């Protein structure tokens, strides 16, 4: 799968919506996990502000790779952010978009705690 690195230098990033468990199958309550580590995946809605433009993007990250308290408005850093184009077909309708994945999400708020143990 193609991955496009995203440069966040010069951008202001903050939490728009705190981390929520990512569901693989909402109907059956199946939680999404990282294929390599088996860690639970979470999504964080991030306000991405650059050059006077603001957009909220949903970023997926493994739960142990979140450090510090991530409440609404918390300034953050995204490590290893990549964009992945996707496309699928469901009930005869083609859909496409871009998903975002980060290696880590770190709070930049004063007194942020150290990363959680795995």
């Amino acid at each position: 799968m193609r991955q496009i690195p995203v440069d966040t230098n010069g951008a202001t990033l903050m939490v728009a919506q705190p981390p929520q468990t990512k569901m693989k199958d909402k109907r059956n309550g199946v939680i999404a996990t990282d294929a390599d580590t088996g860690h639970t995946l979470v999504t964080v809605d991030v306000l991405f502000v650059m050059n006077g433009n603001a957009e909220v993007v949903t970023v997926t990250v493994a739960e142990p790779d979140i450090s510090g308290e991530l409440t609404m408005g918390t300034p953050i850093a995204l490590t290893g952010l990549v964009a992945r184009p996707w496309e699928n077909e469901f009930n005869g309708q083609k859909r496409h978009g871009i998903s975002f994945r980060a290696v880590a999400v770190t709070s930049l708020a004063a007194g942020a705690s150290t990363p959680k143990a795995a």
Side-chain angles (χ1 to χ4, degrees):
M1 179 181 292
R2 187 174 58 178
Q3 294 184 17
I4 304 163
V6 178
D7 182 8
T8 60
N9 289 324
T12 299
L13 306 170
M14 65 181 88
V15 175
Q17 180 73 27
Q20 297 184 21
T21 303
K22 184 173 182 171
M23 302 303 292
K24 182 175 184 177
D25 183 345
K26 291 179 184 177
R27 287 181 297 198
N28 296 318
V30 179
I31 295 172
T33 57
D34 184 275
D36 296 330
T37 65
H39 290 130
T40 298
L41 294 176
V42 296
T43 59
V44 180
D45 286 348
V46 174
L47 180 62
F48 191 104
V49 183
M50 182 178 253
N51 300 326
N53 296 311
E55 187 168 340
V56 174
V57 296
T58 301
V59 178
T60 300
V61 65
E63 191 172 33
D65 299 322
I66 293 176
S67 63
E69 188 69 26
L70 298 184
T71 58
M72 188 180 303
T74 303
I76 58 170
L78 297 173
T79 303
L81 182 64
V82 295
R84 295 177 179 172
W86 59 269
E87 181 176 283
N88 64 25
E89 188 171 332
F90 184 73
N91 288 339
Q93 293 185 355
K94 286 191 176 188
R95 299 178 59 188
H96 57 83
I98 299 172
S99 64
F100 295 90
R101 177 77 187 251
V103 172
V105 179
T106 307
S107 170
L108 299 178
S113 63
T114 57
K116 297 177 185 177

